[in-house]
Amino acid sequence: MKVGIDLISFYTPQYYLDLKTLAGERGVDPDKFTIGIGQEKMAIPPPDEDIVTMAASAAHPILEQAGREGIELLLFATESGIDHSKAAAMFLHGLLKLPTRCRAVELKQACYSATAGLQLAASMVAAQPDRKALIVGSDIARYDLRSPGEPTQGAGAVAMLVTANPSVLALDPETGLYAEDVMDFWRPNYREEALVDGKYSMRVYLTALEECWKQYTERSGRQFHDLARYCYHLPFTRMAEKAHIRLAKIAALKELTSAELETEIGDSLRYNRITGNTYSASLYEGLTSLLDHGADDLVGQRIGLFSYGSGCMGEYFSGVVQPGYRDHLFTARLRALLDGRTELTYRQYEDIFQLGFPTDGGDHAFAQYRTGPYRLAGVSQHKRLYEKVI
Ligand code: COA
């Protein structure tokens, strides 16, 4: 029996800062951001949007299409948690009106946790094929103003319905894993902004990739040429290029031409270039981008996926694209969202950045900005108040 992703939907906020604007403010050559790092725009959530509203907006089209019946597992992957105790999954469960017979929890391991969610969900469905699982990854990537990480900020959420006989991607059972306690990127509970040793994080990412790949190939017997396309965790798109060049070198003893690089990973990078890092969602944003953009029909093709979360946890796995997958994508909806976004000035970006979340326990109603179908209406007595917009 096949198990995997039946539906996948990506959502990103409707405001962005162009990195050329940021480069101008910081006195940096714009090519450093657009070529050196490989990013053009970064998504900025307005004050009435958070990880819960983004996750709900990502999941909304899936529930419209597939309904709620049979969803017995809700896993919320994030590293931008809003509460030490109550899982973001509970707020999401309420907003989406999911069945009360449901196991709902939050998962954390930096940008890796949605992959943990996907694999846990696949195990549950393999054991109980009549059940379904909804996995979301939702994050706001945030670094200090004027820090090297600043141009790699972004925001977004992915939602995936995991079922038996999936419509989009059937997962292969073999995976390669790598866990090691390192300090390459972290976000202490008393800070909203991540701390990162950027160059070190890139080295650890590549080590994790090599180790995971080795194990994946040993377990599956597959080699580099068995995979038609490759998706990577995307802290910034240039990282995927570096990773894929390294993988080709160690796995196929091959120097990739730029045409091969473009064919093998190009389509997976297109959304991330204009949203920025979406942490736990980023690998799956890449998968969505690949499936949405591919001019070639990918039916029957095997896709390699590398998930990485600083700290660090890596996993290499793969899946096969299913017949008729294009009929199950939300391509037009996402394209309309991306085409209709509002560009922010530098001043607006910094004003939103500096806006602190109220912590006084009073009643605060938030001004309404452009959001998806759900928004954060305010906070009262330390309780977040969400509402449906449409
Ligand atoms: N034109 C074209 N390329 C340029 C350029 C220009 N004018 N100026 C610089 N570059 C290139 C550099 O050569 C470099 O490329 P290389 O990596 O191939 O050598 C790249 O742009 C970045 O420049 P660098 O000086 O190394 O940037 P930085 O010190 O500002 O830091 C990051 C870049 C990516 C390390 C930083 O943004 C960061 O820490 N981001 C967060 C990383 C992260 O999220 N890690 C955790 C998860 S994996």
Side-chain angles (χ1 to χ4, degrees), residues 28-38 111 143 147-152 184-185 196-202 205 233-236 238-239 242 277 279 308-310:
V28 170
D29 180 350
D31 287 352
K32 173 173 175 183
F33 295 162
T34 53
I35 299 170
I37 292 177
C111 305
Y143 302 88
S147 69
E150 186 185 24
T152 64
D184 59 331
F185 165 109
V196 58
D197 185 340
K199 298 282 157 61
Y200 178 51
S201 80
M202 293 165 72
Y205 179 119
H233 164 53
L234 299 169
F236 48 95
R238 193 72 205 294
M239 185 70 233
K242 285 175 187 282
N277 195 354
Y279 288 166
Y308 176 78
S310 290

